[in-house]
Amino acid sequence: MDKLVVKGPGRLAGTMNVSGSKNTALPLMAGAILAPGISTISNIPSLRDISTFARVMRVTGTRVDIDDSAGLVTIDATNIEDTVAPYELVKRMRASFYMLGALLGRCGEAKVSLPGGCAWGPRPVDLHIKGVQAMGATVDLEQGYVIAKAVGGRLKGGSFRLEPSSVGATINLLLAGSTARGGSRIENAAMEPDVVVFGECLREMGARISGLGTSTIEIEGVDELKPVDFANCPDRIELGTYMIAAALCGEPGSPVRINGADDRHLGKVFVDAFTATGASIEVGDNYIDVTAPEKLSSVSIETGIYPGFPTDLQAQWTILLSQSEGNGKVVDKVYHDRFKHIPELHRMGINAIVVGNEVVVQGKTKLTGAQVMSTDLRASVSLVLAGMVASGTTEVLRVYHLDRGYENLENKLSGAGIDITRESYDEWASPVEERQMSA
Ligand code: UD1
């Protein structure tokens, strides 16, 4: 297994590059299944979640070629031979559940494993299932699989209200509804940029969709979609993470440049909270300059659906609060117990208490390096940020969580002045054995 070794405290300077969005790339890949023929998607990050999803797609007979160096995925969906998404792959990544809408839309049937829970608690898919039922699918549950069939081989379309609003369910219903016989309406639809960009791609493929970026999306089903060549957007969560890193570790007065960034996807609530800390932002053509303040002010946040503060940035924000003047609070209203990183951060000296869906964080806390365990994707990057401000050496173990969503993180950070390296280790080796291994 790999670990990241961070020697702090570090100073971030120079430039960092944002990769293509993981959470947009996955639906874009799923969308290609809807069109017989060859589609290409560019600006695809080289990440484990992308290769996992390619494996899920290949089970259906779809050809998926990933060119990591070019950031290009070529998808040949001329022939779909099977309509199954197996447990062995779906359990690794919940977004595999997009195969439900993609296969229903293309073939009128799908057998997709239920994803199960995730590191920070149950994450249901009831809305995805009820939504496709509203569009005319029959759904049976058998041995952990959702078996969905469109009566007469094609969905008829229908209206469905998402409660709560869900990114994944909106995407699945866009996939399912685009080739339905009739019209569909998604109420309380997700307005996240990932959904909007994906919907724009479907439109380029010939789908008739209106209301993207609003809470009501309407779809007029078409007989067939055509393949597409589409450019993915930059990763807004990666951008937000580097902005937080720059506010924490940048030299006050000297901007850190973040290239390939699209500030429009950050959402107003995040930008307002970020600048309220005292950090400043200057937006240029395809880049953002972030300048750290002399003193960070503590700014409490509450996560919410877009354009609210992203739940995927709350763990990182906790580190910012720990270095700010005064105490602050993070409230997660999307996922109520997404705080698995807090006990790990306690090992580094953070003073934070979790009460229900809130964590109260004491500011101006001296952190010290320690061995800490990644528990999920965003939690693990918060441990890296903590390592960057802590004195001494931090080892972030089980870094495979982080590899799901951050492309080349250690190279990007070390290129901007942080002392960070990747090393392999044997999790079951005793400290003596480990010393012998590295000798
Ligand atoms: C996506 C993102 C994830 C992010 C999350 C919230 C991807 C691949 N993942 O996840 O990084 O943290 O949005 O911004 O894009 N819900 C239900 N029933 C359902 C579906 C969802 O009750 O059938 C609830 C969830 O428990 C949660 C809320 O809806 O409280 C929002 O979840 P959702 O937007 O669906 O998250 P994902 O699409 O899984």
Side-chain angles (χ1 to χ4, degrees):
M1 240 180 264
D2 285 356
K3 62 184 174 188
L4 289 180
V5 181
V6 191
K7 292 187 179 138
R11 198 39 109 198
L12 196 70
T15 58
M16 296 196 68
N17 294 326
V18 175
S19 300
S21 163
K22 167 181 88 70
N23 285 354
T24 313
L26 297 168
L28 290 174
M29 289 169 72
I33 287 187
L34 293 174
I38 299 174
S39 292
T40 63
I41 306 159
S42 57
N43 199 23
I44 294 287
S46 174
L47 293 173
R48 212 159 58 93
D49 271 11
I50 300 293
S51 51
T52 301
F53 197 59
R55 290 175 67 194
V56 178
M57 290 174 71
R58 287 184 193 120
V59 173
T60 67
T62 306
R63 282 200 57 165
V64 186
D65 294 315
I66 303 176
D67 180 345
D68 274 325
S69 55
L72 190 74
V73 174
T74 305
I75 297 164
D76 183 348
T78 305
N79 297 311
I80 305 291
E81 287 149 14
D82 207 345
T83 50
V84 179
Y87 177 62
E88 296 69 42
L89 294 170
V90 177
K91 73 177 180 196
R92 292 174 196 214
M93 192 187 63
R94 284 175 50 82
S96 310
F97 208 65
Y98 292 153
M99 294 304 276
L100 177 70
L103 289 169
L104 265 176
R106 172 72 188 272
C107 307
E109 59 173 50
K111 180 179 176 185
V112 181
S113 169
L114 283 166
C118 82
W120 71 82
R123 288 174 75 188
V125 285
D126 56 314
L127 296 172
H128 304 235
I129 294 173
K130 287 180 193 146
V132 296
Q133 283 174 320
M135 289 183 173
T138 62
V139 175
D140 292 304
L141 296 183
E142 274 176 30
Q143 296 181 317
Y145 279 78
V146 173
I147 300 177
K149 287 199 172 107
V151 180
R154 188 169 170 197
L155 293 173
K156 62 178 170 46
S159 289
F160 190 67
R161 182 176 174 79
L162 299 170
E163 206 57 74
S165 180
S166 154
V167 173
T170 305
I171 286 168
N172 247 333
L173 297 184
L174 280 167
L175 286 162
S178 289
T179 53
R181 214 179 289 280
S184 298
R185 187 181 163 92
I186 311 169
E187 287 172 19
N188 204 21
M191 297 187 281
E192 269 70 0
D194 320 271
V195 173
V196 175
V197 173
F198 169 58
E200 283 164 357
C201 176
L202 286 177
R203 283 216 291 232
E204 273 198 45
M205 295 170 78
R208 294 177 60 192
I209 299 168
S210 58
L212 289 171
T214 76
S215 60
T216 305
I217 295 179
E218 297 200 323
I219 313 165
E220 200 47 58
V222 295
D223 287 342
E224 196 174 83
L225 296 182
K226 55 181 189 313
V228 72
D229 298 314
F230 194 81
N232 184 24
C233 62
D235 196 306
R236 64 196 171 99
I237 304 301
E238 193 189 4
L239 168 61
T241 303
Y242 297 159
M243 289 171 68
I244 293 171
L248 275 167
C249 296
E251 171 86 39
S254 303
V256 173
R257 178 156 293 188
I258 308 174
N259 280 326
D262 190 337
D263 67 300
R264 295 164 307 169
H265 288 179
L266 285 169
K268 181 172 161 41
V269 178
F270 175 80
V271 173
D272 287 351
F274 189 77
T275 48
T277 66
S280 62
I281 305 175
E282 213 179 294
V283 178
D285 189 15
N286 204 31
Y287 68 83
I288 295 183
D289 282 345
V290 176
T291 307
E294 289 291 343
K295 283 182 182 168
L296 282 164
S297 302
S298 187
V299 179
S300 296
I301 57 104
E302 206 174 275
T303 71
I305 57 171
Y306 192 83
F309 192 103
T311 170
D312 286 350
L313 285 171
Q314 60 95 335
Q316 299 88 314
W317 197 262
T318 301
I319 313 302
L320 202 60
L321 289 180
S322 77
Q323 302 306 304
S324 301
E325 305 275 324
N327 299 341
K329 210 156 75 168
V330 165
V331 183
D332 199 328
K333 294 207 145 181
V334 180
Y335 294 113
H336 293 176
D337 54 0
R338 197 179 186 179
F339 298 113
K340 293 279 187 289
H341 46 288
I342 300 295
E344 297 302 313
L345 291 168
H346 284 156
R347 294 173 52 74
M348 300 178 69
I350 203 167
N351 194 353
I353 306 165
V354 179
V355 186
N357 68 335
E358 301 185 1
V359 51
V360 182
V361 189
Q362 188 187 54
K364 291 304 259 173
T365 307
K366 187 169 162 33
L367 303 184
T368 49
Q371 281 194 318
V372 284
M373 191 75 85
S374 306
T375 51
D376 64 76
L377 168 54
R378 307 301 168 187
S380 44
V381 84
S382 77
L383 302 177
V384 173
L385 292 177
M388 286 162 56
V389 291
S391 318
T393 302
T394 297
E395 293 192 357
V396 181
L397 308 179
R398 294 196 185 169
V399 82
Y400 58 86
H401 288 291
L402 190 136
D403 292 338
R404 288 188 45 209
Y406 287 90
E407 182 182 47
N408 264 328
L409 182 72
E410 68 273 21
N411 292 340
K412 290 183 183 185
L413 287 173
S414 61
I418 301 298
D419 186 343
I420 179 169
T421 49
R422 178 180 291 257
E423 292 175 16
S424 48
Y425 72 105
D426 177 354
E427 186 149 302
W428 302 105
S430 68
V432 177
E433 285 166 335
E434 257 208 270
R435 268 201 302 277
Q436 284 164 349
M437 270 173 54
S438 57

